[in-house]
Amino acid sequence: MTEKVKIVTLGCEKNLVDSEIMSGLIDQRGYRLVEDRGEATVIIVNTCGFIDAAKEESVNTILDLADLKETANLKALIVSGCLTQRYKQALMEEMPEIDGIVGTGDFYNIAQIVDEALKGKKPIQVGNPVFNYEEVLPRKVSTAKYTTYVKIAEGCDNNCTFCSIPIMRGKFRSRSMESIVAEGKLMASQGVKEISLIAQDSTNYGTDLYGEYKLAELMDQVTKVNGIEWVRLHYAYPGFFTDELIEMIATNPKICKYVDMPLQHSEDALLKRMRRPGRNRDIRELIAKIRSRIPNVSLRTSLIVGFPGETEDDFARLCDFVREIKFDRLGVFTYSKEEDTPASRLPDQIPDEVKEWRATTLMEIQREVSNENASKFVGQVLDVLVERYDGRSDVYIGRSQFDAPEIDGEVYVTNCPVGIGEMAKVRITHAYEYDLSGEGVL
């Protein structure tokens, strides 16, 4: 009997790419991939270990799935990803339900791990997280066929004091431009129209391989792949955002006018404690430069509240900063005290209830900003990638170039002139907090 394998992915899009490669390797080995966990004889949990909430979700998921050994067909439960890279020994000692472990630098051996786990060997492969795939590995895309993520680098050298990514993913390592473009061509051959470029630090791309910043050139090369209509940038580290990159986003029609640039805070004292690049003045100058050269840009950021030493005045100024800058999209995280990071040893830790209040307050401010920002689209005609049909409301739902998949807003379309997975021109008639609606136009 052919064993049936289910992969459960937790955490970020970078984990999703790893899971899709594991799916390709599993399929190549001759195992059958299934969606129903109750049907699976092997389950692989690709975990996240970035913050406490993610660790808790990973552990709870492992325990929940282990019950399928008693209630369903599960023979082997394998754990991969960031949690295993940090806690391999503790996981095997404290969770006997686990039948195999593979780290972030060894997941390309997943088929071998499955083989051994099914034989009862309890394999562990967790080495240094230095893997960076240069060849185009087999990959089964799990997102909608018209959009996908492509990882352009691994690891990070920035050593922000709150972040455990270097511990779990290692030093910064760019993929070669040739391998990324080759993967883009493979994705396009499978019907992908939108590629989102991702890394822990995308703007640093190329400095290790080529001795200079190469993200602008890379994005240009990806847009030349036949069939690709949108190229989107994620996780742009503000310290390395070059004028050349701004110019490329501004002038290349296939590059989405969308910048995802995590800033983490606005106040100099906090930025210094976080070991982030630049200060408040530098951030403002960079944003002004981006918006001046790309007037219609959609700017997304993420902020951390409750970092050790964040005073009430610091938070008040952060709120003023959000009101003034008017980010198009914004995510807020409460500071998570990660072991083995410098910030975990800082004095003046903030109580959890204060962190939560600050996060809620900041998101309420952003809600007002988002309402204001959305209204500017009314009357415009936007290109919309149509993603699904809602039969109850009789509308098609898609996204403009100003919204990334799954995390941002959507466009509701009536009288849609195209099918799912195609681009439609839509006249926007109404704006809501994050979403837009309008009619398709020919």
Side-chain angles (χ1 to χ4, degrees):
M1 182 187 78
T2 301
E3 303 291 352
K4 300 175 182 178
V5 181
K6 164 72 175 175
I7 299 181
V8 177
T9 305
L10 306 174
C12 67
E13 299 89 355
K14 295 177 282 292
N15 253 18
L16 176 64
V17 172
D18 292 348
S19 289
E20 290 177 346
I21 293 171
M22 285 194 284
S23 294
L25 293 166
I26 290 291
D27 181 67
Q28 193 176 67
R29 184 68 126 223
Y31 292 115
R32 180 183 165 197
L33 290 161
V34 296
E35 285 299 316
D36 183 359
R37 59 184 61 184
E39 185 183 357
T41 54
V42 178
I43 293 180
I44 302 165
V45 186
N46 194 3
T47 61
C48 178
F50 184 49
I51 57 176
D52 285 341
K55 295 177 198 172
E56 184 177 350
E57 180 189 20
S58 294
V59 169
N60 289 339
T61 299
I62 294 167
L63 293 174
D64 288 345
L65 292 171
D67 291 340
L68 296 175
K69 290 183 178 180
E70 303 295 331
T71 62
N73 301 302
L74 186 62
K75 298 178 184 177
L77 179 60
I78 297 167
V79 181
S80 67
C82 292
L83 198 69
T84 64
Q85 193 67 38
R86 291 192 76 182
Y87 304 110
K88 63 177 181 180
Q89 205 61 41
L91 286 170
M92 289 303 278
E93 290 175 359
E94 299 176 19
M95 302 181 74
E97 299 90 345
I98 297 174
D99 300 294
I101 280 179
V102 58
T104 59
D106 301 272
F107 69 88
Y108 59 95
N109 292 320
I110 189 61
Q112 176 190 339
I113 297 289
V114 171
D115 293 344
E116 294 180 5
L118 285 168
K119 294 174 183 176
K121 292 185 178 180
K122 294 258 183 179
I124 300 177
Q125 286 197 25
V126 182
N128 291 328
V130 295
F131 174 68
N132 194 20
Y133 54 98
E134 278 304 302
E135 60 181 308
V136 180
L137 293 173
R139 179 179 171 191
K140 293 182 74 69
V141 175
S142 58
T143 52
K145 69 176 184 177
Y146 43 81
T147 183
T148 195
Y149 300 95
V150 171
K151 194 184 296 189
I152 65 173
E154 267 289 8
C156 187
D157 291 343
N158 295 316
N159 296 312
C160 301
T161 59
F162 56 83
C163 185
S164 56
I165 289 294
I167 299 171
M168 297 181 288
R169 293 282 179 173
K171 301 288 284 182
F172 181 81
R173 314 178 295 284
S174 300
R175 289 178 64 185
S176 72
M177 200 172 300
E178 292 79 10
S179 73
I180 296 167
V181 172
E183 185 172 359
K185 290 178 179 178
L186 177 64
M187 296 296 97
S189 72
Q190 298 175 14
V192 167
K193 291 183 171 61
E194 175 188 32
I195 285 180
S196 296
L197 301 179
I198 56 173
Q200 267 79 27
D201 172 7
S202 60
T203 38
N204 201 26
Y205 173 77
T207 54
D208 55 327
L209 276 184
Y210 307 111
E212 58 183 313
Y213 298 115
K214 284 284 189 176
L215 181 59
E217 182 180 340
L218 172 66
M219 295 184 76
D220 187 44
Q221 290 298 315
V222 176
T223 65
K224 293 176 181 176
V225 174
N226 288 334
I228 299 303
E229 298 188 37
W230 283 352
V231 175
R232 187 179 300 277
L233 177 62
H234 283 278
Y235 311 119
Y237 195 75
F240 308 136
F241 214 106
T242 65
D243 290 346
E244 182 186 14
L245 179 58
I246 294 174
E247 189 68 16
M248 180 60 66
I249 296 171
T251 58
N252 191 314
K254 287 191 174 183
I255 296 178
C256 294
K257 310 313 173 201
Y258 179 96
V259 173
D260 177 10
M261 185 171 61
L263 297 175
Q264 312 305 359
H265 214 282
S266 65
E267 297 310 294
D268 289 355
L270 274 296
L271 291 169
K272 183 177 180 180
R273 277 193 162 200
M274 291 177 174
R275 205 179 291 153
R276 296 290 293 175
R279 295 296 177 259
N280 183 289
R281 180 178 176 179
D282 303 306
I283 291 170
R284 290 174 181 274
E285 289 177 352
L286 176 58
I287 291 172
K289 185 186 294 186
I290 291 171
R291 284 180 163 164
S292 172
R293 188 65 189 90
I294 319 169
N296 59 338
V297 69
S298 179
L299 191 59
R300 162 175 274 280
T301 196
S302 59
L303 301 171
I304 296 174
V305 295
F307 190 80
E310 183 187 56
T311 66
E312 291 184 7
D313 285 345
D314 290 329
F315 178 67
R317 287 191 290 270
L318 178 62
C319 292
D320 290 340
F321 176 76
V322 170
R323 291 187 185 98
E324 179 186 346
I325 299 298
K326 299 185 186 301
F327 294 100
D328 298 277
R329 301 286 183 259
L330 184 145
V332 179
F333 297 89
T334 57
Y335 168 71
S336 177
K337 186 178 180 180
E338 295 301 300
E339 60 184 298
D340 300 323
T341 60
S344 67
R345 300 184 290 273
L346 288 174
D348 304 319
Q349 298 284 331
I350 308 296
D352 287 345
E353 60 271 20
V354 175
K355 297 179 193 176
E356 294 295 340
W357 180 86
R358 289 178 181 177
T360 301
T361 300
L362 202 56
M363 285 309 298
E364 285 297 324
I365 294 170
Q366 178 61 30
R367 184 167 286 111
E368 296 175 5
V369 171
S370 295
N371 273 325
E372 179 183 341
N373 286 345
S375 63
K376 68 185 179 184
F377 290 106
V378 174
Q380 293 188 32
V381 174
L382 303 181
D383 288 327
V384 172
L385 177 58
V386 178
E387 298 192 287
R388 65 187 189 277
Y389 173 69
D390 183 345
R392 291 178 300 176
S393 303
D394 190 27
V395 294
Y396 287 83
I397 302 171
R399 288 178 294 106
S400 74
Q401 65 169 313
F402 306 112
D403 294 288
E406 298 182 1
I407 60 172
D408 292 329
E410 296 179 314
V411 182
Y412 294 81
V413 186
T414 58
N415 302 320
C416 186
V418 303
I420 292 171
E422 300 296 328
M423 292 282 186
K425 289 194 176 296
V426 178
R427 180 176 290 106
I428 304 302
T429 56
H430 296 85
Y432 309 100
E433 185 178 319
Y434 297 106
D435 299 329
L436 303 172
S437 64
E439 296 181 335
V441 297
L442 295 177

